[in-house]
Amino acid sequence: MERLNKPIIMTAQMGKADFAWANGLRQRYFPPERNVVDAHITLFHHLPPQALDEVKAAIAGLAGTLPKPEAHLSGLIHLGNGVAYRLHAPELLALRMELADRFAGLLIAQDQQTPRLHITVQNKVSAREAGHLFDILSAGFEPRPFDIHGIGLHYYLDGPWQTIRTWPFRG
């Protein structure tokens, strides 16, 4: 794959069934003209492309030795102009924080903060439309396990993404 001089996004990779569920909701509720990427769980929003080899090595070293982290959907988040599912995944968050320590000098301000892990299924709509969907999805929500099977890297192409590679967890 050709190396690009574009920001790198790191995501947690969902299991197939959970990805199909989340992406189905995203396709249903996200404005189609703005929905240029599939459902995802962002771990880092902007890593510099010059650090690609360092980032790949760090992921390979960790993902290849760690079992899949336990995770579950714990609720919904009203984003103001959208809706997301909150992901409770302490082991995944600990892994992310370990990577943040390794990449300390590379991180933009947004990535220096502790993230609120989530899966956005609607965004860039009116507050009223988001509130309506939040109420609908909240009414039927029950916490449940959620499968995280690996880590992925993607180039940010000014909207769409191009996958660089994914690494499964050992377990």
Side-chain angles (χ1 to χ4, degrees), residues 104-127:
L106 305 174
L107 301 180
I108 63 170
Q110 182 179 20
D111 287 334
Q112 292 173 20
Q113 309 301 315
T114 301
R116 178 174 66 165
L117 299 176
H118 65 279
I119 304 156
T120 303
V121 296
Q122 181 189 60
N123 206 359
K124 304 184 188 325
V125 300
S126 70

Side-chain angles (χ1 to χ4, degrees), residues 32-106:
E33 68 280 0
R34 295 179 177 262
N35 192 16
V36 297
V37 297
D38 287 333
H40 56 277
I41 303 162
T42 304
L43 299 177
F44 291 96
H45 295 86
H46 183 130
L47 295 167
Q50 300 81 0
L52 180 60
D53 291 337
E54 178 183 352
V55 172
K56 285 167 119 179
I59 296 169
L62 289 172
T65 61
L66 295 173
K68 295 191 314 186
E70 288 188 23
H72 68 272
L73 295 179
S74 61
L76 284 115
I77 304 170
H78 193 303
L79 301 172
N81 294 94
V83 178
Y85 282 88
R86 178 177 290 114
L87 184 70
H88 180 75
E91 296 164 341
L92 180 62
L93 193 56
L95 168 66
R96 192 262 180 215
M97 299 311 284
E98 181 176 338
L99 289 169
D101 286 344
R102 286 188 187 192
F103 305 151
L106 305 174

